[in-house]
Amino acid sequence: MLRHARAAVFGAVLLTVGPLLYLLAEAIAALAWTEPNYDYFYHYVSDLGIAGPPSHVFGQDVYSPWAVVMNTGFIGYGLLFVIAAFLVLRATSGARPKILLTVAVIFGIGIGMVGMFQGSQASIDNGQILYHVIGAQATIVGGNLLTILAASFRDRLGMSPAVGRTLLVLGVIGLLGFAAFMIDVRGGINIYVGMFERLAIYPIVVAHVVFGVSLLVSRKRRPVTAPRNHAVPAAA
């Protein structure tokens, strides 16, 4: 049992570190853009994973000199999250909520696919863009649904009511952001697609950090119980 508790702590660390590394990869890749400059409000997130030569894809001029950094961030985030989910859920009390693990794997595979299959013109030409789109939607929809599901399993996962409510709100915001993003893209509006896409993605990232930190705090505050099998000395 102690081994499972230690594994859960390590899982909570990964749950916190993964999204931070992803945001760092995004910032580094964005700073490397010079012609054109990367715009967080206008460009798609996955544009950061499209290497040269410069091209025009989905109505945007794209060229990410450090695309490998972003794609590593996508894949690394997915891998760390799946490992974290296994470790954390292994230590849950009672029957493990398999639906959480299933959706967690869907999210991890989805974001990994975004890094493996870029949204480039080459992917459009060879048909691999389908895998990119499937991965992106699995990431956003799966990630936000997982946040809401985790909130519904608050007691079993050891969350405080405040953390549970926070995750629920973040999941709803993420799904609303995804709806706005799809309306913008499918409707041909193409205004601030980057902002709407991030409104769908960043709540997931924040939720993972919040949950990971809350697990670490709760484990640290948990009282240490005395061993039960010690004999009680008889009264003299």
Side-chain angles (χ1 to χ4, degrees), residues 52-71:
S55 59
H56 189 78
V57 185
F58 296 119
Q60 298 184 347
D61 293 320
V62 297
Y63 170 47
S64 182
W66 289 358
V68 65
V69 174
M70 187 70 256
N71 291 325

Side-chain angles (χ1 to χ4, degrees), residues 26 29-30 33-34 36-40 43-48 198:
E26 184 179 0
W33 279 50
T34 53
N37 290 325
Y38 186 81
D39 189 336
Y40 271 69
H43 286 99
Y44 292 96
V45 176
S46 57
D47 286 350
L48 292 168
R198 284 176 169 82

Side-chain angles (χ1 to χ4, degrees), residues 2 217-227:
L2 180 60
V217 171
S218 66
R219 294 281 175 181
K220 186 176 181 180
R221 291 179 177 175
R222 188 166 297 174
V224 179
T225 57

Side-chain angles (χ1 to χ4, degrees), residues 80-150:
L80 291 178
F81 182 80
V82 170
I83 295 173
F86 270 100
L87 294 175
V88 169
L89 293 178
R90 189 180 181 188
T92 55
S93 59
R96 299 184 189 108
K98 294 181 180 179
I99 187 172
L100 288 180
L101 185 57
T102 300
V103 182
V105 171
I106 289 173
F107 169 81
I109 292 175
I111 196 169
M113 289 173 65
V114 173
M116 293 174 64
F117 305 100
Q118 291 76 48
S120 62
Q121 186 61 48
S123 292
I124 295 174
D125 294 340
N126 62 27
Q128 291 185 354
I129 190 65
L130 175 63
Y131 303 116
H132 178 84
V133 173
I134 291 174
Q137 297 198 1
T139 299
I140 296 174
V141 177
N144 283 299
L145 285 179
L146 180 61
T147 300
I148 294 172
L149 284 171

Side-chain angles (χ1 to χ4, degrees), residues 180-198:
F181 170 71
M182 293 302 294
I183 291 171
D184 194 355
V185 173
R186 296 296 183 184
I189 303 172
N190 292 327
I191 298 176
Y192 298 133
V193 290
M195 179 186 70
F196 288 130
E197 189 177 29
R198 284 176 169 82

